[in-house]
């Protein structure tokens, strides 16, 4: 039997959705370096390089033991010359000059800072960089450049850039559930995103909401947000109603297969008071003023009809790379189209799925539990 540190590359499948990828793994110093280069490539708009570095990092996360010799990389899927060179450099010197150069560059540091702001993507960050802006203070002096979302992102930057902990996610779940059940008894609220994959901290909290009776869930979010607002818990919100109609034709399904889905949703910043008791205002007491002692937290709410729930759950659990790989596998290996709404043969309706397991089965894949999707 091979020891844990021996790696048999022949046994590692090429797609991340065919592998078990735990949260904690054996190659952190390599994956951090490769993820930095992936991120930097993304800042330059090089999507291809971003994905190459990310795939290589993801392969290392799935290995049963640490890489201790560059020869172990031979035969690993998705490992190109550049990624191999970085690993070799780290093995020999404990540091990669290329990665250090990137991390210390003004460009990387500024792009990292700007894209960390809620509502700021690479395009906007790049535009600001080219205009000579470098710091949050620079942005605050130029408020006309900011939309409402970015303005909220900067106002709450300190809270939002610190991690959300699991117990805080649980506390927010109780508040959201309270509001959802008041508006629609029998609805369910499921924690998705990184926390469902077992992460202990995250950049936001993601919830998926549904109801056992198809159609009952429609229009839920405005009512829920209204309720939370009356409790003084909403610092920012942007609600979008669903637009399934856009998804009717296959062309739309294809173009949307890797992008944003069509569910009713809300991207928000909620106020989490320090004292958990202030989350349960007594009946008849009326809305409470938020105490100063607390924290702003990014919360995503998504509402799916029960018939699409399994697809929405799979799509919102991530990781982002795991999702990308699932969709690539469906397309390239099964000639099917997967998104957060369904799994489609060309020109056909979605295959039905009552659970995530059903979807893996349709694709001929071994079921991968959420805790093993940290690709
Ligand atoms: P973190 O701890 O940083 O929040 P995360 O894995 O939860 O990590 P998110 O950005 O919250 O990251 O995304 C969670 C999942 O939801 C991802 O798998 C992503 O594919 C999916 N997702 C995020 N935004 C959208 C969107 N606008 N439309 C569809 N799916 C999305
Ligand atoms: Mn998340
Ligand atoms: Mn999210």
């Amino acid at each position: 039997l091979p020891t844990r540190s021996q790696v048999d590359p022949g046994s590692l499948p090429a797609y991340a959705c065919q592998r078990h990828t735990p949260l904690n793994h054996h190659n952190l110093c390599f994956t951090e370096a490769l993820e930095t280069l992936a991120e930097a490539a993304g800042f330059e708009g090089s999507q291809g390089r971003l994905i190459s570095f990310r795939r290589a990092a993801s392969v290392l996360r799935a290995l049963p033991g640490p890489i201790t010799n560059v020869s172990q990389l031979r035969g690993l899927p998705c490992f190109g010359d550049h990624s191999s060179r970085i690993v070799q450099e780290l093995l020999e010197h404990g540091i990669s000059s290329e990665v250090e150069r990137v991390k210390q560059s003004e460009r990387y540091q500024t792009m990292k800072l700007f894209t960390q702001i809620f509502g700021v993507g690479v395009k906007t960050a790049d535009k600001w960089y080219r205009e000579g802006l470098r710091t949050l203070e620079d942005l605050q002096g130029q408020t006309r450049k900011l939309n409402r979302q970015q303005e909220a992102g900067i106002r709450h930057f300190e809270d939002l850039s610190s991690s959300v902990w699991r117990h805080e996610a649980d506390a927010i779940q109780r508040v959201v559930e309270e509001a959802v059940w008041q508006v629609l008894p029998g609805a369910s609220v499921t924690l998705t995103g990184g926390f469902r994959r077992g992460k202990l901290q995250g950049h936001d909290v993601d919830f998926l909401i549904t109801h056992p009776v198809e159609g009952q869930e429609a229009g839920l979010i405005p009512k829920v947000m209204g309720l939370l607002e009356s409790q003084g818990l909403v610092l920012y919100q942007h609600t979008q109603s669903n637009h399934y109609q856009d998804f009717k034709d296959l062309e739309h399904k294809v173009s949307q297969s890797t992008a944003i889905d069509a569910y009713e949703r809300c991207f928000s910043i909620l106020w989490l008071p320090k004292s958990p008791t202030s989350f349960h205002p007594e009946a008849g007491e009326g809305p409470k003023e938020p105490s100063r002692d607390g924290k702003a937290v990014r919360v995503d709410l998504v509402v799916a009809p029960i018939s699409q729930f399994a697809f929405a759950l799979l799509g919102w659990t991530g990781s982002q790379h795991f999702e990308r790989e699932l969709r690539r596998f469906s397309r390239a290996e099964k000639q099917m189209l997967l998104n957060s709404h369904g799994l489609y043969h060309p020109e056909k309706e979605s295959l039905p799925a009552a659970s995530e397991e059903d979807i893996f089965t349709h694709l001929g894949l071994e079921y991968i539990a959420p805790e093993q999707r940290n690709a």
Side-chain angles (χ1 to χ4, degrees), residues 163-219:
S163 287
V164 185
W165 296 93
R166 177 61 200 240
H167 73 272
E168 295 172 327
D170 292 338
I172 289 171
Q173 177 154 11
R174 289 191 290 274
V175 177
V176 171
E177 274 176 346
E178 210 55 58
V180 166
W181 292 339
Q182 204 166 323
V183 171
L184 183 63
S188 67
V189 177
T190 305
L191 186 61
T192 61
F195 288 112
R196 184 160 182 260
R197 302 197 306 275
K199 281 175 70 174
L200 298 176
Q201 57 196 91
H203 98 283
D204 70 353
V205 191
D206 307 284
F207 293 110
L208 182 60
I209 303 169
T210 192
H211 188 277
V213 180
E214 183 95 0
Q216 288 289 301
E217 78 293 337

Side-chain angles (χ1 to χ4, degrees), residues 192-194 203-207 267 298-302 316:
T192 61
H203 98 283
D204 70 353
V205 191
D206 307 284
F207 293 110
F267 298 129
R298 273 272 299 111
V299 176
D300 287 338
L301 301 179
V302 181
W316 278 86

Side-chain angles (χ1 to χ4, degrees), residues 111-128 139 145-157 160 203-204 236 238 267-269 298 300:
M111 289 297 285
K112 197 166 170 70
L113 174 71
F114 286 172
T115 55
Q116 211 186 320
I117 301 167
F118 177 46
V120 180
V122 166
K123 259 170 92 175
T124 304
D126 175 64
K127 185 164 114 305
W128 289 345
L139 294 176
K145 285 187 191 300
L146 306 175
N147 63 32
R148 194 174 67 90
Q149 185 180 26
Q150 295 159 348
E151 198 254 319
I154 290 177
R155 185 154 17 98
H156 301 291
F157 185 82
L160 298 188
H203 98 283
D204 70 353
Y236 169 88
H238 177 68
F267 298 129
S268 74
I269 303 174
R298 273 272 299 111
D300 287 338

Side-chain angles (χ1 to χ4, degrees), residues 125-311:
D126 175 64
K127 185 164 114 305
W128 289 345
Y129 184 86
R130 284 186 286 108
E131 287 170 2
L133 305 172
R134 294 292 182 270
T135 64
L136 291 184
E137 291 71 46
D138 290 348
L139 294 176
Q140 279 157 338
Q142 311 253 337
T143 44
R144 55 172 185 85
K145 285 187 191 300
L146 306 175
N147 63 32
R148 194 174 67 90
Q149 185 180 26
Q150 295 159 348
E151 198 254 319
I154 290 177
R155 185 154 17 98
H156 301 291
F157 185 82
E158 205 185 316
D159 278 356
L160 298 188
S161 58
S162 79
S163 287
V164 185
W165 296 93
R166 177 61 200 240
H167 73 272
E168 295 172 327
D170 292 338
I172 289 171
Q173 177 154 11
R174 289 191 290 274
V175 177
V176 171
E177 274 176 346
E178 210 55 58
V180 166
W181 292 339
Q182 204 166 323
V183 171
L184 183 63
S188 67
V189 177
T190 305
L191 186 61
T192 61
F195 288 112
R196 184 160 182 260
R197 302 197 306 275
K199 281 175 70 174
L200 298 176
Q201 57 196 91
H203 98 283
D204 70 353
V205 191
D206 307 284
F207 293 110
L208 182 60
I209 303 169
T210 192
H211 188 277
V213 180
E214 183 95 0
Q216 288 289 301
E217 78 293 337
L220 183 72
I221 285 189
K223 295 177 201 158
V224 168
M225 293 312 288
L227 205 55
L228 294 174
E229 217 151 315
S230 73
Q231 297 170 339
L233 298 177
V234 180
L235 299 173
Y236 169 88
Q237 67 129 328
H238 177 68
T239 299
Q240 288 167 274
S241 51
N242 73 58
H243 49 281
Y244 306 132
Q245 317 75 258
D246 300 353
F247 269 65
K248 282 239 172 81
D249 60 294
L250 189 72
E251 222 168 295
H252 245 98
K253 288 178 199 158
V254 174
S255 68
Q256 294 282 335
S257 67
T258 52
I260 282 177
D261 59 48
Y263 291 119
E264 178 177 322
R265 75 178 74 243
C266 180
F267 298 129
S268 74
I269 303 174
L270 298 188
W271 179 252
L272 175 65
K274 261 270 160 50
S275 148
T277 53
S278 42
F279 264 130
H280 301 286
E282 264 123 81
E285 218 179 295
K288 277 212 167 163
E289 285 300 309
S291 83
R292 258 170 223 288
D293 200 15
K295 179 181 178 181
V297 178
R298 273 272 299 111
V299 176
D300 287 338
L301 301 179
V302 181
V303 176
I306 188 76
S307 62
Q308 299 176 44
F309 179 77
F311 295 101

